Amino acid sequence: MIDILRTAPTDLTTLSRNNGGVFPRERVRDVIANGAGRESVHGTTDMPVWGTIFRAFEPNDVLVDVRIDNLVRYIESLQART
């Protein structure tokens, strides 16, 4: 499946390794919530800004923050152990 993509997806398992062994929690959260740095991370804007999508379905920002924090924690759990 991945071989049909024009641009290979970002390897989310190497974020900590590429940042001196520290997971860049705030940067990841900002990309998920606001799309910050999407051009350099994703190459195109095909990947949705999840904060916008979550806000469309949730009645308040507290629930949006919970969803975003859950996604950040999940991505952090994917980090390759060195």
Side-chain angles (χ1 to χ4, degrees), residues 2-81:
I2 201 165
D3 55 333
I4 64 172
L5 299 175
R6 290 184 185 183
T7 304
T10 301
D11 184 352
L12 297 176
T13 67
T14 62
L15 294 174
S16 290
R17 181 176 52 198
N18 294 340
N19 288 281
V22 177
F23 181 70
R25 175 178 296 281
E26 291 306 314
R27 193 169 78 216
V28 169
R29 188 179 203 300
D30 200 25
V31 170
I32 292 169
N34 306 311
R38 286 170 29 132
E39 303 78 27
S40 63
V41 176
H42 295 294
T44 69
T45 56
D46 291 340
M47 184 65 163
V49 177
W50 289 105
T52 303
I53 292 170
F54 293 155
R55 283 182 195 94
F57 294 104
E58 295 296 353
N60 63 57
D61 284 343
V62 172
L63 294 175
V64 171
D65 287 342
V66 168
R67 285 182 178 268
I68 292 170
D69 287 341
N70 286 341
L71 191 49
V72 171
R73 277 196 299 276
Y74 173 70
I75 294 170
E76 185 173 19
S77 78
L78 298 175
Q79 299 311 291
R81 305 289 180 219

